[in-house]
């Protein structure tokens, strides 16, 4: 099994070593001691990377560490932190496990993330061309309604599709709303329709990957993330996690290094 020095971990994450040792003292990672040095496993990197992304998203560093400590205590050793899909929804740190959604600090299940937004699901912008005027009008109406009434937005997208179903962006947005409401089977139908229309659409591939993870179809998720990875950096993070779960550490670390390269440019 490949293990990494504190210098390796600091280089991969772009973090000072003092912060890494801070997480070690808090018991959030469990490297092996070899002589006078620690050797970190890939699962330690996954946990630290998740913390780094939460902090980069605007959450206070102290709060992230405190919340992860609470989560570790709640898990009581049943699962490592690295096995969980962590994300931010507003000022909440949340966990998504299949169809279960819950708040890290309270432990309470959630019906909704940030007014219906599922962490990690990408959003489409207005297309350059929107098709016939009536369909475009319904599509734009859906965009305007998303922040205030997700159900009405979904209805508007359905009207746009009924009028003209040849635009991938409409299917992606409707798929995202369905995924946020946990209607995963119908969401998959719309993502795949978008990919039939635009086989190289990275947002459709990425969102399909998150959905297939929720359905427990890891191999399909890997394939979808690989298609999105040339454009969407977060696809590399998800690939790193999935390959680590499979025990394929060389590929996992390759994707983690790719994300670090992107963050420099």
């Amino acid at each position: 099994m490949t293990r990494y020095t504190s210098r390796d971990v600091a280089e991969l994450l772009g973090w000072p070593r003092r912060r890494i040792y801070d997480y070690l003292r808090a018991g959030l990672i469990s490297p092996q001691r070899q002589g006078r040095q620690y050797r970190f496993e890939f699962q330690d990197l996954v946990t630290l990377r998740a913390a780094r992304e939460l902090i980069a998203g605007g959450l206070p560093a102290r709060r992230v560490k405190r919340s992860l400590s609470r989560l570790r205590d709640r898990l009581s050793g049943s699962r490592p932190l690295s096995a969980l899909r962590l994300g931010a929804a507003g000022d909440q740190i949340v966990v998504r496990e299949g169809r279960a959604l819950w708040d890290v600090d309270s432990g309470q299940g959630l019906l909704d993330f940030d007014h219906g937004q599922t962490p990690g699901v990408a959003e489409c912008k207005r297309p350059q061309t929107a098709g016939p005027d009536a369909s475009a009008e319904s599509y734009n109406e859906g965009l305007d309604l998303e922040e205030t009434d997700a159900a009405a937005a979904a209805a508007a997208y359905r009207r746009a599709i009924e009028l003209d179903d040849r635009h991938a962006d409409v299917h992606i947005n409707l798929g995202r709303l369905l995924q946020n409401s946990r209607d995963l089977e119908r969401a998959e139908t719309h993502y795949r329709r978008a990919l039939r229309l635009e086989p190289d659409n990275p947002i459709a591939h990425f969102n399909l990957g998150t959905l297939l993870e929720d359905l427990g179809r890891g191999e399909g998720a890997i394939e979808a993330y690989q298609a999105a990875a040339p454009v969407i950096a977060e696809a590399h993070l998800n690939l790193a996690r999935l390959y680590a779960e499979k025990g394929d550490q060389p590929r996992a670390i390759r994707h983690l290094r790719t994300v670090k390269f992107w963050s420099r440019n």
Side-chain angles (χ1 to χ4, degrees):
M1 179 181 295
T2 304
R3 291 189 172 94
Y4 309 90
T5 67
S6 59
R7 179 178 295 180
D8 295 331
V9 176
E11 172 67 18
L12 283 166
L13 296 178
W15 261 13
R17 278 190 275 183
R18 60 178 172 76
R19 179 165 284 181
I20 295 167
Y21 285 117
D22 195 26
Y23 275 71
L24 170 60
R25 287 190 293 271
L28 294 169
I29 52 176
S30 303
Q32 299 297 311
R33 189 73 179 261
Q34 292 186 357
R36 302 176 69 177
Q37 288 192 336
Y38 285 101
R39 297 289 179 175
F40 297 79
E41 296 183 1
F42 188 80
Q43 286 72 18
D44 298 320
L45 271 68
V46 171
T47 299
L48 291 170
R49 180 77 199 195
R52 182 184 182 280
E53 292 301 307
L54 291 168
I55 294 168
L59 292 173
R62 288 184 179 180
R63 184 187 165 200
V64 169
K65 189 176 71 171
R66 183 176 66 247
S67 295
L68 292 183
S69 295
R70 288 175 180 167
L71 178 58
R72 175 208 57 202
D73 294 342
R74 187 173 292 117
L75 293 173
S76 301
S78 61
R79 285 167 295 171
L81 291 175
S82 59
L84 301 179
R85 297 173 66 188
L86 296 168
D91 61 353
Q92 291 177 294
I93 300 175
V94 296
V95 174
R96 180 172 64 188
E97 293 184 286
R99 302 191 182 198
L101 313 171
W102 49 282
D103 176 74
V104 164
D105 288 312
S106 68
Q108 295 181 346
L110 300 175
L111 297 177
D112 198 13
F113 277 119
D114 195 20
H115 304 294
Q117 297 303 310
T118 301
V121 181
E123 184 175 358
C124 264
K125 305 299 182 182
R126 296 174 190 263
Q128 295 297 316
T129 58
D133 289 347
S135 178
E137 185 176 340
S138 292
Y139 176 64
N140 291 333
E141 179 186 354
L143 290 173
D144 293 337
L145 286 168
E146 280 203 26
E147 291 187 5
T148 58
D149 192 338
Y157 290 143
R158 289 191 183 95
R159 287 195 299 274
I161 290 170
E162 289 173 0
L163 292 164
D164 184 353
D165 73 345
R166 295 173 296 173
H167 294 285
D169 290 343
V170 187
H171 287 282
I172 292 171
N173 280 9
L174 180 55
R176 176 169 48 79
L177 291 179
L178 291 168
Q179 184 176 358
N180 289 335
S181 66
R182 317 311 294 166
D183 190 346
L184 302 185
E185 287 77 12
R186 284 204 293 169
E188 180 179 1
T189 297
H190 286 285
Y191 290 151
R192 293 196 182 280
R193 173 59 177 160
L195 287 170
R196 284 196 295 272
L197 293 165
E198 294 183 10
D200 297 325
N201 189 300
I203 294 178
H205 281 295
F206 181 80
N207 286 1
L208 179 61
T210 66
L211 183 144
L212 293 175
E213 276 203 78
D214 286 349
L215 291 172
R217 289 151 61 181
E219 291 299 326
I222 286 175
E223 183 178 349
Y225 288 141
Q226 285 172 335
V231 177
I232 299 179
E234 193 175 348
H236 290 284
L237 286 175
N238 292 352
L239 284 166
R241 175 173 45 76
L242 289 173
Y243 278 125
E245 291 173 1
K246 287 163 60 71
D248 190 341
Q249 292 199 19
R251 287 185 179 177
I253 201 69
R254 188 185 313 137
H255 284 287
L256 199 62
R257 286 184 186 276
T258 300
V259 176
K260 185 175 186 300
F261 173 79
W262 280 28
S263 68
R264 286 177 168 177
N265 294 277

